[in-house]
Amino acid sequence: MKKVLFALAALITLAACENKQKTVSSTENGNDSSEVDVILSDENEGTYFPAIDQYLAEEIGSQYAKGEFCVPFHSIVGVDERNSEDILVWGDFWVFNYNQVGDTLKCVSGGSHPGLMHIRQKEKGFEVTSFDQVEDGSRYMPTAKKIFGDKFDAFQAINSDEQKREKLRADVLATFVKEHNLSATMYQDYGWPAKKLGK
């Protein structure tokens, strides 16, 4: 049975700010290349991230070639939590499917899906209601600029930092392996050498 990781890949550890805008360095949410604007209410901080991971796995990961495991991760560019009926989360979202072969998680499929998640707070938990996704090809740049707006530079800085993204990916996979009691110690993309898991 396919297992899905609902990991909090990009932790945001912010004090309550009573709906006031607060600028934080992106080291606080897994990156350190620029600053991002984050608007948070005074409760339920970060609790919608499992809903994002579930959406990535079920709605996007399922469109790729299947694997034993689906593992999403993300770098958050900005959050606006002022409206519980439409929480806005801008991010560089990724999802990969893996099969375990020996001690290695071998990547079957996956890719990048940057954009804006719209999330609604329910009586219990949260749900993604829609996803404004950056388009491919010649539509990539205009749609990215439209979706990210004044956060576009921060998005570009995060999206272009492959080294930090790979470290985040390795760390999330390490957490996944630990939580699911797997024997894997490495992960590997097709045609590339295997890499050690993070942490």
Side-chain angles (χ1 to χ4, degrees), residues 6 10-11 30 38 44 61 69 94-95 97 109 116 128 135 140 156 179 197-198:
F6 301 123
L11 296 174
V38 180
N44 295 319
F69 312 109
W94 291 74
V95 61
N97 292 320
S109 60
L116 169 62
V128 175
E135 298 177 30
Y140 179 88
Q156 276 200 309
E179 290 181 351
L197 297 177

Side-chain angles (χ1 to χ4, degrees), residues 73-199:
F73 69 96
H74 36 76
S75 296
I76 302 306
V77 177
V79 175
D80 184 340
E81 202 187 60
R82 290 174 293 184
N83 180 359
S84 64
E85 290 296 314
D86 189 21
I87 298 167
L88 307 176
V89 181
W90 293 265
D92 189 19
F93 304 103
W94 291 74
V95 61
F96 290 102
N97 292 320
Y98 298 90
N99 288 330
Q100 184 173 348
V101 180
D103 66 350
T104 303
L105 291 175
K106 292 185 176 285
C107 185
V108 175
S109 60
S112 171
H113 298 270
L116 169 62
M117 294 275 183
H118 294 264
I119 300 166
R120 180 175 70 88
Q121 185 171 7
K122 302 187 296 182
E123 185 176 341
K124 293 183 178 180
F126 296 81
E127 66 177 353
V128 175
T129 58
S130 64
F131 181 35
D132 302 335
Q133 188 171 174
V134 174
E135 298 177 30
D136 295 328
S138 63
R139 295 287 300 155
Y140 179 88
M141 194 61 70
T143 56
K145 287 182 177 179
K146 180 179 179 181
I147 290 168
F148 285 94
D150 61 1
K151 299 170 180 61
F152 177 73
D153 289 343
F155 161 66
Q156 276 200 309
I158 289 170
N159 181 258
S160 63
D161 198 331
E162 184 178 356
Q163 185 175 356
K164 286 186 176 62
R165 182 168 61 249
E166 278 303 301
K167 182 182 185 308
L168 175 60
R169 181 183 177 193
D171 289 347
V172 169
L173 282 170
T175 299
F176 179 86
V177 165
K178 183 176 180 181
E179 290 181 351
H180 292 84
N181 297 314
L182 303 180
S183 58
T185 59
M186 312 279 283
Y187 71 101
Q188 185 176 23
D189 292 331
Y190 182 78
W192 292 87
K195 299 178 181 179
K196 290 184 179 180
L197 297 177
K199 298 183 178 179

